[in-house]
Amino acid sequence: MANERNWAGNYTYGASELYVPDNVEQIQELVARSDKVKVIGTRHSFNGIADTEGSHLSLAKLNRIVGLDRENNTVTVEAGIRYGELCSYLHDNGYALHNLASLPHISVAGACATATHGSGDGNASLSAAVREMELVAANGETVKLRRGDPDGSFEGAVVGLGGLGVVTKLTLDLVPAFEVSQVVYENLPLAKLEPHVDAIYASGYSVSLFTNWQDAAINQVWVKRKLTDGAAAVSIEPELYGAKLATSPLHPVPGHPAHNCSEQMGVPGPWHERLAHFKMEFTPSAGEELQSEYFVPREQVYEAIAALADLRERIAPLLFVSEVRTIAADELWMSPCYMQRSAGIHFTWKRDWEAVQQVLPLIESKLEPFKARPHWAKLFTMEPSQVQAHYRMLPQFRELLARFDPEGKFRNAFLNRYIW
């Protein structure tokens, strides 16, 4: 396990060994005899949230679809399955998930544990689709939790940050399969964004704003529109509040080829081939990179963007691209969107941690008036007390962790710092 790194290559794990069990029974045996253990997923976290000084456990072999329940419109999957693999199966069976992240390459369990999200004013995070979950607790026993459990454990456990145990199965709510048409608009002036921000985010099922912060403008607006009532297409306006319709497919990062991006130009297609920004069969994003993201109240998204515009000269030289998306509220205790409609302001940085580390406190200071919450699995420099102050259910979450893992078997340096 020595020198194993995450997907981006910026983090080296400290685990002494890696196990890849074949079944739940092997997981139970491993957990029961381990002093320290942690699940490692598809390694798309940029910090130490999944690290351990003990044993790493990969669920790569637990990646099957357990069953499709057409009566209750749910699917049960093993925790190691990736979204790209699950989505094709669901679409072939006439179903869809309500939302997808920009990358289909991430595991279902890892995404839900860290409150990873997609986009859309009416679309809650991926975690919000979880109806039931099964995990192996610290004593090696399996525990099942369901939405509506009277003690509230479920709402605390879904975004569990890897601290409660090894999630082995998840049951997800489904919606009927649908078609999506995606178009991109270019060069939206910030002055046009201010009076029209709500209308722009309401213009599609999922809307993303991309900027490189070099000018007082949004470089690209990606609009994903849901096709309804058997419509073969939607009308495409040549302009969106001053932004012009792109004449060819684009990559979010200026200068990168668009062939690995999901289909654009208004061509209708299945939900799972449009809601993600990148195709499953291609290497995503820009390559070696760093990522940060902060969540602010949805109604203050323009004010937050305007505040960060003051830092353009500090941000732009270090950046590939920045994306701003909206997310509906949920009821999951440790979700950054807990009881709050939110906007996620995301930064894809060049891999220069020394320089990025200097600019993050400036960004966090600008976003402090908005009570910004960082993405759990990305890079931030906020003090633990500042992060904790934004989670009113944190005391209950600590109690839940202590109940499931009284000896701290699943604790690590990240949880000790930001939760305990």
Side-chain angles (χ1 to χ4, degrees), residues 183-186 219-221 223 236-240 243-245:
V183 294
V184 176
Y185 293 89
E186 295 187 271
N219 300 96
Q220 298 176 19
V221 182
V223 181
I236 300 174
E237 299 296 330
E239 187 172 317
L240 183 71
K244 305 296 184 182
L245 185 68

Side-chain angles (χ1 to χ4, degrees), residues 187-190 211-219 309 312-313 316:
N187 300 318
L188 173 70
L190 282 186
T211 178
N212 58 14
W213 295 104
Q214 291 182 9
D215 301 296
I218 301 298
N219 300 96
R312 284 206 308 267
E313 293 182 1

Side-chain angles (χ1 to χ4, degrees), residues 5 16 21 51 69 123-124 148 164 166 228 235 257 294 315 372 383 405 408:
R5 294 191 171 192
S16 58
D51 203 3
D69 185 342
N123 303 325
L164 280 82
V166 179
T228 56
S235 60
Y294 301 92
I315 293 173
E383 287 298 317
D405 184 21

Side-chain angles (χ1 to χ4, degrees), residues 1-5 12-19 38 40 43 50-52 54-58:
M1 190 64 190
N3 299 320
E4 287 288 332
R5 294 191 171 192
T12 302
Y13 295 107
S16 58
E17 51 195 354
L18 172 65
Y19 293 97
K38 204 78 176 167
I40 188 169
R43 308 186 188 196
D51 203 3
T52 179
S55 301
H56 255 150
L57 189 157
S58 168

